[in-house]
Amino acid sequence: MKTILPGTTASGQQTTLGVMGGGQLGRMFVHAAQSMGYFTAVLDPDPASPAGLVSHFHIQTDYLDEQGLAQMMQRCAAITTEFENVPAPALRTLGAQRVVAPGADAVAIAQDRSLEKAHFVRCGVPCAPYAVIESAEQLRAVRDALLPGILKTARLGYDGKGQIRVNTRAELNSAWAQLKSVPCVLEQMLPLASECSVIVARGADGTVVNFPPQLNLHRDGILAVTQVFDGNLPTALAEKAVSAAVAIANGLDYVGVLCVEFFLLQQGSAAAKELGTLVVNEIAPRPHNSGHYTIDACDQSQFDLQVRTLVHLPLVQPRQHSPAIMLNLLGDLWLRSGEEAVTPPWSEVLALPGTTLQLYGKLQARRGRKMGHLNITAADAAQARATALRAAELLGMAPF
Ligand code: ATP
Ligand code: MG
């Protein structure tokens, strides 16, 4: 395995790293790669994509466009992905000629909730009881125990999209019709106490490193707040979550940054008695929104590790040097006083110690759209919380 170092290549080009997808995750990958001296190329059809705007090269084609893929292979020594809905066949095409991480097979599993859940079962990590629904017959055969539940499309869901909560069989039937009878997974609705995630980075040589478990608060199916400091989760649970995430990454023979999302069930609930307190929800084959705090609170960010896994540089266990809280900044914060977008009070927010603002360069604020995030670091967790709560108040976000 050759290390792909930054600098001028034999043909006089600059070593270039590529990313499939031009969203905010691609933008932060581009920033990390560029800060290490690499050139970058982004493939995304949107001329105003957040990553395309900051990359040396922006190839504006569809993900499966042959010419677009050919240009990526011509420019790039290695290619990663920032968006799990990049078609696996595109990664397969690229992977035949270039270093691609994560690989198409792992991404294909993460793209499909049925395959993903089967992988959890294989790894011996408990997940929500579920049924695959791909036919009217499978719909009829659903066990009563799965209701109330959440019907989720097997593919292409994000931020709670493509999901319908159902209480009865009648609701299940009409929900499946509403989702156009595409392949779905019905999950039992679990009594959540909270949610957490673990981000691991795994190298091509099998080395795995991890960030500490992140405690996540979702609102309306979208991540709102991530808190990471000693004591955010009971130690035994945190350790269990890390080993489960490592087992899932190893089981995929994964190369790259992987996020594993977990549910923490209410203690004493029937589901917790059956499944245990920690239940895996889903994986994302890329850096994750719950890992943005690593940019300011750790000696290496999740995007730095994405670069290292891609180019085969050494993976060293990252160290979190400050307690951290991340507030996700959704378009709603711009639209507080009606439909006319108003800039949030950044000066007041940034007057608070330990706050750093990252905005993704999206031109238009829409409700539920991820516009940026605010990281808060402090010497101790209590101070981080106090500052984060004050920032939330200034921004008009509900306390947590
Ligand atoms: P993203 O990719 O943005 O994380 P998603 O669209 O893939 O989101 P999920 O992670 O499946 O969606 O679900 C979104 C949220 O809905 C979860 O974080 C959790 O709060 C809630 N949820 C999902 N499944 C269940 C379940 N089986 N029981 C209880 N709550 C659930
Ligand atoms: Mg999720």
Side-chain angles (χ1 to χ4, degrees):
M1 256 171 332
K2 241 184 86 200
T3 307
I4 299 165
L5 293 172
T8 313
T9 65
S11 60
Q13 283 191 0
Q14 291 296 314
T15 304
T16 301
L17 303 182
V19 55
M20 297 293 283
Q24 60 269 13
L25 299 173
R27 180 178 170 104
M28 290 181 267
F29 167 80
V30 161
H31 287 151
Q34 291 180 348
S35 77
M36 288 180 70
Y38 294 99
F39 273 39
T40 60
V42 169
L43 189 147
D44 188 301
D46 178 2
S49 77
L53 290 176
V54 298
S55 180
H56 297 91
F57 307 108
H58 181 188
I59 298 164
Q60 293 173 31
T61 68
D62 196 73
Y63 298 114
L64 284 166
D65 184 275
E66 273 176 36
Q67 284 193 0
L69 295 176
Q71 280 183 54
M72 280 298 263
M73 288 188 281
Q74 193 252 325
R75 289 240 182 258
C76 303
I79 300 158
T80 187
T81 169
E82 64 102 40
F83 170 54
E84 67 249 59
N85 293 330
V86 169
L91 298 179
R92 253 184 217 112
T93 303
L94 298 170
Q97 292 192 30
R98 289 288 178 269
V99 173
V100 170
D105 294 345
V107 172
I109 290 175
Q111 281 175 344
D112 185 307
R113 289 190 195 274
S114 311
L115 300 178
E116 184 179 61
K117 286 191 159 47
H119 180 69
F120 298 150
V121 174
R122 258 197 312 278
C123 295
V125 180
C127 64
Y130 71 102
V132 174
I133 300 180
E134 292 174 341
S135 67
E137 203 168 27
Q138 285 173 319
L139 182 68
R140 274 193 301 276
V142 161
R143 295 175 289 136
D144 286 336
L146 295 183
L147 294 170
I150 307 189
L151 186 68
K152 303 180 176 182
T153 57
R155 302 177 65 86
L156 302 176
Y158 68 98
D159 290 345
K161 294 190 175 78
Q163 302 196 2
I164 302 179
R165 296 182 177 220
V166 293
N167 291 304
T168 62
R169 265 175 199 279
E171 284 178 18
L172 172 62
N173 295 346
S174 67
W176 197 49
Q178 200 182 321
L179 294 174
K180 307 217 158 51
S181 306
V182 297
C184 282
V185 169
L186 175 68
E187 276 178 36
Q188 188 185 101
M189 176 76 81
L190 296 174
L192 307 191
S194 56
E195 298 183 60
C196 73
S197 56
V198 173
I199 294 168
V200 300
R202 188 171 183 278
D205 63 356
T207 307
V208 190
V209 299
N210 69 281
F211 291 103
Q214 294 110 207
L215 178 65
N216 299 328
L217 172 68
H218 291 79
R219 291 185 177 135
D220 299 324
I222 306 178
L223 183 66
V225 181
T226 293
Q227 306 190 63
V228 198
F229 37 72
D230 281 346
N232 64 347
L233 293 169
T235 311
L237 266 184
E239 284 170 3
K240 223 172 157 181
V242 171
S243 4
V246 171
I248 287 167
N250 283 337
L252 289 168
D253 208 9
Y254 192 84
V255 180
V257 171
L258 178 79
C259 178
V260 183
E261 291 184 64
F262 296 94
F263 298 139
L264 299 171
L265 304 189
Q266 287 170 18
Q267 293 226 338
S269 63
K273 284 185 188 136
E274 182 194 335
L275 303 164
T277 317
L278 184 82
V279 171
V280 61
N281 170 20
E282 61 174 356
I283 57 176
R286 49 168 173 78
H288 192 260
N289 198 163
S290 62
H292 292 349
Y293 76 96
T294 60
I295 294 173
D296 295 305
C298 299
D299 58 359
Q300 301 171 75
S301 76
Q302 58 172 351
F303 302 100
D304 296 328
L305 295 189
Q306 187 181 17
V307 173
R308 286 186 182 225
T309 54
L310 185 61
V311 299
H312 307 144
L313 277 168
L315 283 183
V316 181
Q317 180 69 16
R319 186 179 67 87
Q320 182 180 2
H321 48 68
S322 303
I325 298 180
M326 182 219 60
L327 305 183
N328 230 8
L329 305 173
L330 301 182
D332 307 57
L333 304 185
W334 278 250
L335 301 169
R336 278 164 73 193
S337 48
E339 284 316 300
E340 182 108 359
V342 175
T343 303
W346 301 134
S347 301
E348 283 94 322
V349 169
L350 294 176
L352 302 172
T355 53
T356 45
L357 175 66
Q358 254 194 316
L359 294 175
Y360 308 144
K362 296 185 184 177
L363 301 178
Q364 208 194 351
R366 287 196 295 270
R367 293 194 187 279
R369 188 175 202 203
K370 291 173 180 168
M371 301 296 288
H373 63 265
L374 185 78
N375 281 343
I376 297 106
T377 57
D380 59 57
Q383 184 58 54
R385 274 192 60 83
T387 305
L389 286 167
R390 177 70 189 125
E393 188 184 353
L394 287 168
L395 292 166
M397 286 176 68
F400 47 87

